[in-house]
Amino acid sequence: MSSYTRLSLDDIKNTPLGNYVDLANCKLGSKVVDVSDEFFAAASNMLNPKPSVREIGKFVETGAWFDGWETRRHNQNHDWAIIQLGFPGTVVGFDIDTAHFTGNHAPVASVEGCFVSDDELNKGEPPNYQWEELLPKVELNPDSKHYFLLNVPTETTYNFIRINQFPDGGIARFRVYGTIWCSCYYRL
């Protein structure tokens, strides 16, 4: 089981995570490639580098509009979203933000990672993900930022991340802090 420290709800720049890159940022090319459910709001919203916003009185076909990922209350087990990182990297921590989600927030979340080779990605078939736990199940509060620092940063490089929410609900933003891995780091 992964060990972690829950950081105080302070400005990210005042935490150890402030020294790292958000690997899940859509501006770096990260994208959601599969999701169990996104009936109320798209999982891709979690990867937006801007803070989540609330627009009271704004409605869409499925109900009130939310700036985040929101699933139906349907699940006996859990919902998940698979994110392909724009750049592979090692991981030091996470920010799981439930801003603006009050009674509909995800009450529990966990995070897993894996590395899928270019050869397997180029086969044209869904990858055979071999998930490793990065963050065990953690409780989430409504309308809050939740910072988690891994007690030991990963040595493994990951290019896919899966965030799980138990059983379902909403997550406004999801950040994966770490260091970009580049083949130029190889020593000859």
Side-chain angles (χ1 to χ4, degrees), residues 21-25 83 85 90-95 111 134 161 174-178:
V21 173
D22 172 15
L23 299 170
N25 187 323
I83 300 160
L85 301 176
T90 55
V91 178
V92 298
F94 307 96
D95 172 10
V111 181
L134 300 179
I161 298 290
F174 176 54
R175 313 281 188 230
V176 178
Y177 292 103

Side-chain angles (χ1 to χ4, degrees), residues 84-116:
Q84 182 174 9
L85 301 176
F87 295 95
T90 55
V91 178
V92 298
F94 307 96
D95 172 10
I96 304 173
D97 185 356
T98 59
H100 314 297
F101 288 97
T102 52
N104 57 342
H105 74 287
V108 174
S110 70
V111 181
E112 300 165 302
C114 72
F115 186 86
V116 178

